[in-house]
Amino acid sequence: MKVKLIDYTPEPERTVAMAARLCYSSVGAEKLEEKMTDDQVEKLVGKIVKMGHASTLEHASFTFAIEGVSRVLTHQLVRHRIASYSQQSQRYVAEHDFEYITPPSIAGNEQARQQFEKMMQEVRKTYDILTGLKIPKEDARYVLSNATETKILATFNTRSLLHFFSLRCCQRAQWEIRAMAYMMLKEVKSVAPLLFKNAGASCVATGVCPEGDMTCGMFDEMIKLRENN
């Protein structure tokens, strides 16, 4: 799996701080930036995040290039509707000798791994036969597995990204998208540490687990995980 932050709003924290200050100031937009020091930006961003003044967070966005993930993952990812996606098309891109993602539970079980790989080879063979019979790629793709490797470009604003992290960094999230979420979190923390200081699973940000009886019971471990990312 590869996750790379390829673009983002320049000075995202200053942009968010400017948006917040405009809401409460009579100063015109052109003068907001020149009057704000780095210390003021830091204090205002901290206040915004604590207050939950989330609309101002929408003015900063982040774009990720993601590859080496399965269709299982991207089917989950696109459920986060307030985001923009561009995914490699199986309609136009041939999937001969496609790469595939093997879950750790299968990779660690020799018998299961052999059966899994046997099925992937059968899928490849069937796909090749269908395309060899002049079946369009858009129809031949119906035999492809959810394990098929794919690539996707995803753009989130800060508000949507924080919500994404609250759900997908949770220990109860599916393993593949959880791994990707932590890679994404590490990327954005490197360019906007103030905005994502407390980002992560809901329990990390709020101190309360929303899962009720289905809690993972790993609050202390989750806090340590946040500090290491």
Side-chain angles (χ1 to χ4, degrees):
M1 182 188 298
K2 294 182 181 179
V3 175
K4 183 177 181 179
L5 180 64
I6 61 170
D7 197 15
Y8 57 93
T9 301
E11 297 189 89
E13 293 166 338
R14 181 170 291 274
T15 297
V16 168
M18 288 171 60
R21 193 174 186 188
L22 184 62
C23 293
Y24 304 108
S25 173
S26 61
V27 177
E30 292 182 355
K31 293 187 177 181
L32 283 177
E33 184 177 19
E34 66 185 44
K35 286 181 171 290
M36 295 187 71
T37 66
D38 290 344
D39 286 342
Q40 288 175 318
V41 168
E42 182 175 353
K43 290 179 181 178
L44 188 50
V45 168
K47 185 177 181 180
I48 292 166
V49 173
K50 185 176 181 180
M51 289 174 56
H53 190 174
S55 65
T56 60
L57 302 175
E58 296 174 10
H59 295 287
S61 63
F62 303 83
T63 299
F64 305 86
I66 302 164
E67 60 181 277
V69 296
S70 71
R71 286 265 169 172
V72 170
L73 184 150
T74 57
H75 285 328
Q76 298 175 80
L77 178 61
V78 297
R79 292 173 187 165
H80 295 272
R81 294 186 296 276
I82 306 177
S84 301
Y85 305 102
S86 296
Q87 186 167 9
Q88 185 182 61
S89 172
Q90 290 181 333
R91 185 181 185 190
Y92 298 109
V93 178
E95 292 284 10
H96 303 290
D97 298 319
F98 63 86
E99 297 293 331
Y100 55 87
I101 310 304
T102 305
S105 62
I106 294 177
N109 183 312
E110 183 61 23
Q111 185 176 0
R113 184 185 62 78
Q114 290 180 7
Q115 289 297 317
F116 186 80
E117 292 181 353
K118 179 181 178 182
M119 177 57 71
M120 293 302 104
Q121 294 306 318
E122 187 64 28
V123 170
R124 282 175 173 169
K125 180 180 178 181
T126 303
Y127 181 86
D128 290 345
I129 290 173
L130 291 175
T131 54
L133 292 172
K134 307 302 181 183
I135 300 299
K137 291 190 291 293
E138 66 179 22
D139 293 336
R141 64 179 167 169
Y142 276 69
V143 304
L144 294 173
S145 166
N146 272 338
T148 303
E149 187 270 345
T150 189
K151 302 171 180 62
I152 192 167
L153 205 70
T155 300
F156 289 77
N157 66 49
T158 307
R159 183 180 192 174
S160 293
L161 200 50
L162 287 169
H163 180 254
F164 171 79
F165 291 143
S166 74
L167 297 177
R168 302 302 184 173
C169 287
C170 176
Q171 284 297 107
R172 290 185 49 76
Q174 188 258 354
W175 67 269
E176 188 181 14
I177 198 168
R178 184 172 70 245
M180 184 191 73
Y182 275 107
M183 294 174 74
M184 292 168 65
L185 179 55
K186 185 174 182 179
E187 288 285 292
V188 294
K189 274 192 171 183
S190 69
V191 298
L194 299 177
L195 290 176
F196 298 100
K197 180 180 179 181
N198 294 318
S202 292
C203 62
V204 171
T206 66
V208 178
C209 175
E211 297 292 333
D213 292 340
M214 300 179 73
T215 180
C216 70
M218 298 175 59
F219 181 72
D220 290 340
E221 290 85 347
M222 294 298 291
I223 293 296
K224 291 179 181 177
L225 191 59
R226 181 191 71 185
E227 293 172 350
N228 292 330
N229 281 277

